[in-house]
Amino acid sequence: MQTATQKRYYTPEEYLELEEKAEFRSEYRNGEIIPMTGGTTNHNKIAGNFYAYLRYALRGQDYEIYIADVRLWLPRYQQYTYPDVMVIKGKPVYAGTNTTTVTNPSLIVEVLSKSTKNYDQGDKFHSYRSIPEFQEYILIDQYQYRVMQYVKTATDQWLFTELEGEAATLSLNTVDLQISLPEIYEKVNFIDSEPEE
C-alpha cells in the first residue's frame, strides 16, 4: 500500500531562517522551498563576463550591480529568488531589516540551463514583471551564441529581440552598454557545454 507524501509549506519567515543556516541556496515559491541546481563553469563564466562589463560601463554612475548571491523578493507572488545578475538604478530597496534581499531591480539577467530555461522564460519572467522598476530582461543561452532581450515600453508592452551568432551585439536599453556576443561568451567552451539531463 502506497502512502502519499504530504507536501510541506513554509512561511517566508521560516524559509529565511532555514536559508541562513543552509549549505546550499534554495528559492522560495509561495510556500515551497525549491533547491537550486548547481551551475556549470560556462554558466559561471557567462554571468561573470556580463557582470564585469556592466561594472566597467557603469563605474561612477548611480547604479548598484549584483551577481548571484543577492536575493530578490517578489511580494505579489510570495517568491524569493537569486537572479544571475541584477542592476538597480539608485539605491537598493531592501526587504526586511537586513541587506541580503532587494526588491527593485530595473535589469535582470539569467543564464539559461536545460533544467531552468522554460521556467526562466515563463513563470519566472511573469513574476519578475510584478516589480514596478523592472524594465529589461536578458536571457543568455549557455550552449550557443544566443541572447534574448525583453524591453518594457512606455505603454507597458514588452518588446522581444533575439540575437544569434558571433557577429551579433546586444544593446541594453536601461543602461548605456553595447556588448558583443563574443564578449559575453569570452572563454566559454561550447564543446564542454553539453546540456545536463
Side-chain angles (χ1 to χ4, degrees):
M1 178 175 145
Q2 287 186 321
T3 57
T5 305
Q6 179 106 13
K7 194 180 277 192
R8 165 84 200 270
Y9 288 92
Y10 298 84
T11 66
E13 295 76 22
E14 288 172 322
Y15 160 77
L16 290 172
E17 191 175 315
L18 290 168
E19 194 73 350
E20 286 295 315
K21 302 171 192 160
E23 292 181 34
F24 303 100
R25 291 179 303 155
S26 297
E27 293 188 340
Y28 176 84
R29 299 182 203 156
N30 199 24
E32 290 185 65
I33 295 176
I34 315 293
M36 293 180 68
T37 58
T40 64
T41 54
N42 281 341
H43 182 288
N44 186 271
K45 287 175 192 174
I46 292 166
N49 290 342
F50 209 99
Y51 174 82
Y53 278 97
L54 278 168
R55 279 300 296 167
Y56 184 76
L58 300 179
R59 68 196 183 286
Q61 298 181 50
D62 193 19
Y63 292 97
E64 298 284 342
I65 308 163
Y66 301 107
I67 188 166
D69 290 329
V70 174
R71 197 167 36 231
L72 173 63
W73 170 237
L74 305 163
R76 183 186 302 172
Y77 296 102
Q78 294 290 292
Q79 186 171 340
Y80 285 103
T81 186
Y82 292 89
D84 290 318
V85 179
M86 288 186 286
V87 176
I88 293 174
K89 183 167 176 47
K91 298 283 182 220
V93 175
Y94 294 108
T97 56
N98 58 36
T99 60
T100 58
T101 307
V102 298
T103 62
N104 62 322
S106 56
L107 168 65
I108 297 175
V109 179
E110 295 283 11
V111 180
L112 302 177
S113 66
K114 187 176 180 185
S115 62
T116 65
K117 68 179 179 179
N118 291 336
Y119 174 62
D120 287 346
Q121 293 176 76
D123 289 345
K124 190 182 246 187
F125 183 32
H126 176 76
S127 298
Y128 284 165
R129 294 196 304 268
S130 69
I131 303 166
E133 298 84 355
F134 183 48
Q135 300 291 314
E136 189 165 15
Y137 191 38
I138 305 298
L139 296 160
I140 305 171
D141 190 321
Q142 69 173 297
Y143 309 111
Q144 60 182 317
Y145 285 103
R146 181 170 175 252
V147 174
M148 291 169 279
Q149 176 184 35
Y150 293 89
V151 176
K152 188 177 181 181
T153 69
T155 57
D156 289 343
Q157 303 290 314
W158 285 88
L159 295 179
F160 172 70
T161 304
E162 186 170 30
L163 304 162
E164 292 184 296
E166 289 183 70
T169 296
L170 172 64
S171 295
L172 294 179
N173 195 66
T174 50
V175 297
D176 184 17
L177 175 65
Q178 289 76 44
I179 180 170
S180 71
L181 269 58
E183 289 171 323
I184 293 171
Y185 290 95
E186 185 178 345
K187 294 203 173 191
V188 169
N189 184 344
F190 293 120
I191 294 167
D192 293 341
S193 184
E194 289 300 312
E196 73 273 10
E197 292 302 320

